[in-house]
């Protein structure tokens, strides 16, 4: 398998070397295109030289991130590159459908972990292990990842939720400046070196929104408070308060300009991390108010003055050592800043209290000068360690969410890098031990576990050799005898520790370990451990004392009597709490050493990492001087060898990084069977189920086997579809193997399957959309017809009701009119009958009458139809309009009576009307009535007068009526 990856055929060793040399010359001949290789698995052949040249070409082209299979290689640029970490670029990687197709970046790893949280592949929780040497850029990488998650994991719907999420993200980001100010320092290799390890747990809810975070720290290098190596500095916070304090704060904290402190070396160096205002503002956002901040900085100033206390050797051993003359001011100032009595502070440092005997008798013994310095340093380390732990608890209480509010998490592990200094002690041993454990986790999880899993699953695989650091771990932590066990045993022995004796015990008991070296030329007692990153020489002097980390009980009782509010909270006077410094007399338990506590916390961390899906970022330091555009091949080569990057590339190129169980594979990709009809597996299939067992121990596996085969038969269809779309990379057949319990595939095959699944889902979505649109159209048409039917029925009902009301009204009017007409007809008939029966005895009058008679005849004729006119006028007509109608019908003269004449129709033949002739033109407007019987004339009665306002009389009757009327008047 390795030979296939390297691109040459098996043969003799000479031919293999010759082929390899030709491949190297061919590959390195195209060095101009080396910077375009985003993934080192595409390098062929994979050797240290080709990988080194590729990284160098990319680094000189300002391309600092490169994929190496499952690992991201990050080169420290040693210069600000703001456009590489802008929020716009974060959103671009977050919104990309396939971020792996973009350029390699730390945001790619962040987005992959964020999307894996939402996937169905177990385990859901993710972790990112950022490793590398000190100064390689681990802290900056962790900071960029936290900013990325703060940007992409905040998309609440409501404004109130947005404000809450924004406040949480701001607190999480503000925890970085505080932790770096109190836990980072300038070392020989790095200006911002983390002197503690931290595991940040970013907590997400079901909607993948960040709800909080939790910080867990490991092994703070508290000895740096009182002891700094040459050309190194103390923690950043001490320099910040000395350089950034105002005049009033300087007076309050007793920090005048130009003050010299023995625990503050190299104060003239100005670093970017010496920004006091940023730290204060971050603490304010975390809930630490200004009075509490001033109290913290006052205690730190007291520690600086505590370091200036120097003692003079006492000539009499029975007398305590006295402070030097120039140190008395420091004693007074330190006691004032720490809230302690001056005499008691000096006494506790000078005199040691011993309890002996069954009655626990107390003896007071003056300390020598060296012991006084040790007790002074122990007091400072105790205060600073408690203060650091208190800050971590405050940060967690500010940013940690309730257990019920989050379901998954993404862990960021940022630990100190591998260290090797001229003088290495217990701190460097623990730091390098932690790096060995992380390297072993990577080897066990990726290099060894993957290859063993291939063999168990029945895949054809040739094992690739890799550097395993298990022998080194056995030397440090093995059982029953190891370096840690021997150091702990020396701590339990009730005897003074000897550096030479400890060296002899280690070399004798562990002589058979291949990772233990010897340096016979060294004058100081020491031993050499061959780590995965290189050999390191550790001095045994002071190793046992540092491992004991003794805290005299009288120092703890002294701090419990402090009047400072902060120290009173850090050292409560609770009699129920029994510290390990003063156990009961006969039931004394073994004291936990520094190595034991660090080993226990490291094992707990590894358990968390094993329960998550790990992702690896390897930070590489191009040079040890911290210069930009400087790539030292020797230094980079040693780092590549140490982290086993070449072996990682080999396994990534030849292996299968994607492993999915049969159940999850079928559940996710069973939709692909829609692309191809189900057929049985045969030898002609380009993707046979290699390694598929003929027997299945469970019925579930027997059920899944044909489903997996059906899915595999759809791969040619997917490949052809990828070729049609023009993606040549996806069109190439990608290897895929089906093991006994899992399906193994490469990233390209996973991408091909995901594209096919997305295509099927798109087709299903279109089918669902078409069916829904058709159903909605039918429903709308049915509703439209129903609405039209309802509207027609309502209109018909309303029209019918309206016509019924009109018909009822017309019936009432018709009946009233008929009654009136009959009444008028009866009256008219009665009067006419009376006129005809009356006998005129007088001689008929002449046709010429007087004016009085003419007016009377006119009135009789006009007043006769007045009732008909008034009865047929419009209902509701007012009195004024009614009078106008009467006036128009009567046509009474408006002038003198002589001006009105009556025109008769004596000369006319036939029948005439008693109604006066109309004046002017008359127009008839005909409109069809909505009434049902409005246009039907009633049957004419022989005894009634038909017509409207027309009483037709015969001509001779009119003459007789007028003659009779005049006769009666005469």
């Amino acid at each position: 398998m390795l030979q296939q990856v390297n691109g040459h055929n098996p043969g003799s060793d000479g031919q293999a070397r010759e082929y390899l040399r030709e491949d190297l010359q061919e590959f390195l001949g195209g060095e101009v295109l080396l910077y375009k290789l985003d993934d080192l698995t595409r390098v062929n052949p994979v050797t240290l030289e080709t990988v080194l040249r590729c990284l160098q070409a990319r680094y000189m082209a300002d391309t600092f991130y490169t994929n190496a299979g499952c690992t991201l290689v990050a080169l420290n640029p040693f210069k600000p590159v703001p456009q590489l970490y802008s929020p716009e670029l974060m959103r671009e990687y977050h919104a990309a459908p396939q971020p792996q197709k973009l350029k390699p970046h730390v945001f790619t790893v962040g987005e992959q972990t964020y999307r894996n949280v939402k996937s169905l592949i177990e385990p859901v929780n993710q972790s990112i292990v950022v490793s590398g040497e000190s100064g390689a850029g681990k802290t900056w990488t962790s900071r960029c990842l936290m900013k990325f998650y703060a940007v992409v994991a905040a998309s609440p719907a409501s404004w109130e939720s947005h404000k809450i999420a924004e406040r949480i993200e701001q607190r999480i980001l503000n925890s970085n400046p505080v932790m770096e100010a109190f836990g980072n320092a300038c070392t020989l290799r790095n200006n911002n070196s983390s002197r503690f390890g931290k595991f940040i747990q970013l907590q997400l809810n079901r909607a993948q929104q960040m709800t909080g975070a939790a910080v867990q720290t490991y092994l703070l290098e508290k000895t740096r408070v009182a002891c700094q190596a040459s050309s190194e500095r103390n923690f950043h916070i001490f320099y910040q308060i000395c350089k950034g304090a105002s005049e009033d704060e300087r007076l309050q904290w007793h920090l005048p300009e130009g003050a010299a402190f023995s625990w503050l070396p190299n104060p003239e160096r100005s670093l970017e991390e010496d920004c006091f205002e940023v730290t204060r503002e971050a603490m304010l956002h975390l809930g630490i108010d200004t009075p509490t901040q001033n109290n913290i900085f006052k205690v730190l100033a007291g520690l600086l003055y505590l370091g200036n206390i120097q003692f003079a050797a006492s000539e009499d051993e029975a007398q305590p050592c006295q402070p030097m003359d120039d140190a008395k001011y420091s004693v007074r100032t330190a006691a004032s800043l720490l809230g302690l009595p001056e005499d008691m502070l000096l006494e506790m440092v000078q005199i040691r209290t011993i309890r002996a005997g069954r009655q626990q008798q107390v003896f007071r013994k003056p300390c020598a000068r060296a012991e006084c310095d040790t007790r002074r340093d122990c007091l400072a380390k105790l205060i600073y360690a408690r203060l650091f732990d208190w800050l971590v608890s405050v940060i967690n209480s500010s940013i940690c969410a309730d257990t019920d509010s989050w379901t998954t998490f993404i862990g960021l592990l940022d630990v100190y890098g591998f260290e090797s200094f001229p003088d290495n002690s217990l701190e460097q041993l623990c730091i390098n031990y932690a790096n060995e454990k992380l390297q072993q986790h990577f080897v066990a999880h990726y290099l060894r576990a993957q290859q063993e899993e291939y063999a168990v699953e029945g895949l054809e695989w040739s094992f690739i050799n890799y550097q395993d650091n298990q022998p080194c771990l056995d030397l440090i932590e093995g059982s029953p005898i190891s370096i840690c066990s021997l150091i702990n045993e020396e701590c339990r022995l009730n005897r003074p520790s000897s550096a030479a004796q400890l060296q002899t015990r280690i070399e004798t008991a562990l002589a058979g370990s291949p990772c233990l070296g010897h340096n016979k030329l060294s004058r100081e007692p020491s031993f050499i451990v061959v780590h995965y990153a290189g050999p390191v020489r550790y001095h045994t002097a002071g190793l046992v004392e540092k491992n004991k980390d003794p805290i005299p009980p009288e120092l703890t009782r002294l701090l419990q009597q402090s009047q400072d509010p902060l120290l009173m909270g850090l050292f409560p006077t609770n009699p129920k709490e029994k510290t390990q410094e003063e156990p009961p007399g006969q039931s004394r338990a073994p004291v936990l050493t520094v190595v034991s506590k660090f080993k226990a916390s490291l094992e707990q961390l590894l358990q968390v990492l094993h329960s998550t899906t790990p992702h690896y970022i390897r930070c590489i330091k191009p040079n040890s001087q911290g210069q930009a555009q400087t790539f030292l091949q020797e230094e980079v080569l040693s780092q590549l060898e140490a982290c086993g990057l070449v072996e990682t590339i080999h396994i990534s190129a030849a292996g299968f990084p994607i492993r999915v169980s049969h159940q999850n594979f079928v559940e996710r990709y069973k939709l692909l069977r829609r692309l191809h009809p189900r057929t049985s597996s045969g030898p002609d299939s380009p993707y046979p189920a290699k390694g598929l067992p003929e027997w299945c121990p469970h019925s579930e596996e027997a059920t899944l086997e044909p489903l997996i085969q059906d899915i595999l038969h759809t791969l040619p269809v997917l490949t052809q579809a990828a070729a049609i779309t023009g993606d040549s990379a996806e069109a190439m057949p990608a290897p895929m193997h089906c093991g006994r319990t899992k399906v193994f595939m490469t990233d390209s095959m996973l991408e091909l399957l995901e594209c096919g699944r997305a295509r099927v889902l798109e087709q299903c979505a279109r089918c669902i959309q078409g069916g829904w649109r058709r159903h909605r159209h039918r429903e709308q048409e049915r509703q439209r017809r129903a609405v039209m039917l309802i509207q027609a029925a309502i209109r018909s009902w309303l029209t019918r009701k309206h016509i019924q009301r009109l018909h009822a009204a017309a019936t009432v009017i018709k009946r009233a009119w008929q009654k009136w007409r009959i009444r008028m007809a009866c009256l008219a008939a009665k009067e006419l009958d009376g006129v005809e029966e009356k006998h005129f005895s007088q001689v008929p009058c002449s046709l010429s009458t007087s004016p009085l008679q003419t007016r009377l005849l006119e009135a009789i004729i006009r007043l006769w139809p007045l009732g008909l006119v008034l009865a047929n006028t419009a209902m509701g007509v007012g009195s004024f309009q009614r009078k106008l109608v009467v006036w128009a019908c009567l046509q009474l003269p408006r002038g003198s009576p002589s001006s009105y004449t009556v025109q008769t129709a004596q000369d006319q033949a036939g029948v005439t009307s008693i109604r006066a002739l109309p004046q002017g033109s008359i127009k008839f407007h005909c409109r069809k009535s909505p009434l049902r019987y409005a246009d039907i004339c009633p049957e004419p009665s022989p005894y009634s007068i038909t017509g409207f306002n027309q009483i037709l009389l015969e001509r001779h009757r009119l003459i007789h009526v007028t003659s009779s009327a005049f006769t009666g008047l005469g």
Side-chain angles (χ1 to χ4, degrees), residues 334-553:
S336 174
L337 292 173
L338 297 176
L340 298 172
E342 181 180 352
D343 298 337
M344 187 178 296
L345 172 63
L346 196 57
E347 180 183 352
M348 291 299 174
V349 176
Q350 292 173 330
I351 300 176
R352 179 162 57 100
T353 302
I354 302 175
R355 295 178 181 269
R358 294 184 178 180
Q359 283 78 21
Q360 292 293 304
Q361 297 179 359
V362 179
F363 300 92
R364 296 167 59 86
K365 178 182 179 182
C367 300
R369 178 182 176 181
E371 190 175 356
C372 289
D373 293 340
T374 302
R375 292 172 68 88
R376 175 205 60 198
D377 297 346
C378 182
L379 182 63
K381 292 187 293 183
L382 177 61
I383 295 175
Y384 195 83
R386 289 283 184 94
L387 177 61
F388 186 81
D389 293 339
W390 177 80
L391 281 174
V392 173
S393 64
V394 170
I395 291 173
N396 283 331
S397 63
S398 176
I399 64 178
C400 188
D402 296 335
T403 308
D404 300 334
S405 62
W406 61 277
T407 56
T408 56
F409 70 87
I410 299 175
L412 299 179
L413 180 60
D414 177 19
V415 296
Y416 9 60
F418 182 82
E419 291 184 352
S420 177
F421 298 117
D423 186 8
N424 302 287
S425 187
L426 184 67
E427 294 82 9
Q428 282 69 39
L429 179 62
C430 292
I431 289 173
N432 294 336
Y433 169 51
N435 281 272
E436 288 284 354
K437 292 290 288 185
L438 293 177
Q439 176 66 15
Q440 197 260 351
H441 174 265
F442 173 76
V443 169
H445 180 269
Y446 192 79
L447 299 181
R448 180 173 64 240
Q450 281 198 11
Q451 298 190 80
E452 292 178 353
E453 187 176 17
Y454 295 157
V456 171
E457 291 289 335
L459 273 69
E460 297 178 1
W461 179 264
S462 299
F463 277 82
I464 298 175
N465 295 326
Y466 55 87
Q467 181 182 0
D468 194 354
N469 63 337
Q470 189 61 43
C472 183
L473 284 175
D474 294 338
L475 173 65
I476 298 176
E477 64 168 5
S479 179
I481 300 177
S482 62
I483 294 176
C484 292
S485 64
L486 292 176
I487 296 176
N488 289 334
E489 184 178 350
E490 285 290 330
C491 294
R492 289 191 295 267
L493 295 176
N494 191 12
R495 66 181 183 185
S497 176
S498 172
Q501 186 178 3
L502 179 61
Q503 175 189 0
T504 303
R505 290 196 62 188
I506 291 175
E507 291 178 351
T508 303
L510 302 173
S513 175
C515 296
L516 182 65
H518 306 277
N519 187 5
K520 299 181 179 180
L521 301 178
S522 177
R523 297 180 180 180
E524 300 178 355
S526 62
F527 61 92
I528 298 176
V529 177
V530 182
H531 292 279
Y532 75 95
V536 179
R537 185 167 66 96
Y538 299 98
H539 296 277
T540 57
L543 202 63
V544 177
E545 287 73 14
K546 289 183 178 181
N547 189 36
K548 288 181 180 179
D549 194 18
I551 301 176

Side-chain angles (χ1 to χ4, degrees), residues 324-338:
M324 295 182 178
D325 295 337
D326 56 351
K328 294 181 179 180
Y329 172 75
S330 298
V331 174
R332 185 168 56 255
T333 307
S336 174
L337 292 173
L338 297 176

Side-chain angles (χ1 to χ4, degrees), residues 153-167:
S155 56
S158 63
W159 174 254
E160 182 179 358
S161 300
H162 175 72
K163 298 298 290 184
I164 295 175
E166 188 178 22
R167 184 171 67 253

Side-chain angles (χ1 to χ4, degrees), residues 888-958:
C889 293
L890 294 177
Q891 293 185 2
L892 297 178
R894 297 178 179 83
S896 59
S898 59
S899 62
Y900 185 80
T901 58
V902 179
Q903 183 178 359
T904 60
Q906 297 178 354
D907 300 332
Q908 297 180 3
V911 181
T912 185
S913 173
I914 65 173
R915 180 179 178 182
L917 295 177
Q919 302 295 326
S921 61
I922 299 175
K923 295 182 180 180
F924 294 94
H925 300 276
C926 299
R927 187 177 65 177
K928 187 175 182 180
S929 174
L931 300 180
R932 184 179 301 177
Y933 304 104
D935 298 329
I936 300 176
C937 296
E939 292 294 333
S941 175
Y943 302 101
S944 63
I945 302 174
T946 61
F948 179 74
N949 200 17
Q950 293 183 1
I951 302 176
L952 302 180
L953 303 175
E954 293 183 0
R955 188 173 186 180
H956 68 275
R957 281 191 170 186
L958 181 58

Side-chain angles (χ1 to χ4, degrees), residues 690-707:
K690 295 182 180 179
L692 193 66
E694 298 178 357
W695 56 273
C696 292
H698 304 288
S699 60
E700 182 180 0
E701 294 294 333
T703 306
L704 294 177
E705 178 181 351
L707 298 177

Side-chain angles (χ1 to χ4, degrees), residues 42-64:
R42 297 166 56 189
V43 175
N44 192 13
V46 179
T47 62
L48 278 174
E49 184 179 0
T50 56
V51 171
L52 186 66
R53 296 287 290 274
C54 183
L55 291 177
Q56 183 178 9
R58 292 178 63 81
Y59 182 78
M60 301 309 293
D62 286 344
T63 306
F64 308 109

Side-chain angles (χ1 to χ4, degrees), residues 130-144:
V130 184
S131 60
E133 289 191 0
S134 179
K138 301 184 299 300
T139 302
W140 173 259
T141 302
S142 301
R143 191 187 307 171
C144 292

